[in-house]
Amino acid sequence: MSGSRFCDREASRIQFDSAEDGRSPPAAALIYDGICDGIGTDLQLVYQPKIDLRRGSLVGAGALLRWSDMEPGWIRVPDVIRVAERDDLINALTLAVAERVVHDRAVLMRADIGINRAFNVSMHNLHNLSIAERMSEIGQSRHGR
């Protein structure tokens, strides 16, 4: 799953200000490129199980973003989110995560494992009124049916 279709590198006018976030410009650029390259490359999802304690059964899973790069190693998720929000990439990241969650759910459904999936969104996503519609479209895509 590539997030690049949600990310317009050419249109972006990113200025990496290391004083603002405490990261060097190359590290901020690495995060920016990683978001544009998307989920399934260096950005990965892992799932935290949701258990119904009364029944002792698995009822769902929450998607958690993780990122390991060959050079610096593990990239802190708060750094990824901060760069995504600051550089107007949070919608691209959210849509890439939504697409991957829907894909992963479809894989489990084909294996007759029907559990709900969830993921967090940023408050910044709520400023974009079309984000819910785009996530719904992803949910109704061929992976989600």
Side-chain angles (χ1 to χ4, degrees):
M1 293 279 117
S2 174
S4 60
R5 68 190 188 99
F6 302 118
C7 183
D8 186 355
R9 287 184 175 140
E10 298 303 317
S12 182
R13 293 188 173 90
I14 306 305
Q15 292 191 11
F16 300 108
D17 181 1
S18 61
E20 177 187 330
D21 66 7
R23 299 191 62 83
S24 67
L30 176 73
I31 291 172
Y32 178 84
D33 286 343
I35 292 168
C36 288
D37 289 342
I39 303 298
T41 55
D42 293 330
L43 295 171
Q44 301 292 324
L45 295 180
V46 296
Y47 290 94
Q48 179 175 331
K50 294 182 178 184
I51 307 294
D52 179 335
L53 294 177
R54 288 189 185 141
R55 296 187 184 119
S57 61
L58 177 67
V59 294
L64 305 171
L65 185 65
R66 296 293 180 260
W67 184 5
S68 178
D69 186 83
M70 290 181 60
E71 290 279 324
W74 288 101
I75 308 283
R76 292 175 5 98
V77 173
D79 291 341
V80 174
I81 301 303
R82 186 172 57 246
V83 169
E85 290 174 344
R86 183 192 70 195
D87 296 338
D88 202 25
L89 292 174
I90 195 63
N91 291 330
L93 181 61
T94 299
L95 293 172
V97 168
E99 201 168 70
R100 185 61 199 205
V101 167
V102 168
H103 172 268
D104 291 351
R105 184 174 188 274
V107 169
L108 287 179
M109 294 295 287
R110 285 192 294 273
D112 205 27
I113 302 171
I115 61 171
N116 291 319
R117 296 288 178 106
F119 65 95
N120 294 328
V121 298
S122 166
M123 291 297 291
H124 290 255
N125 292 130
L126 303 179
H127 296 289
N128 179 346
L129 299 178
S130 69
I131 193 84
E133 183 177 312
R134 291 184 72 189
M135 286 191 290
S136 178
E137 289 169 1
I138 290 169
Q140 298 301 318
S141 72
R142 62 186 163 85
H143 294 299
R145 289 187 184 171

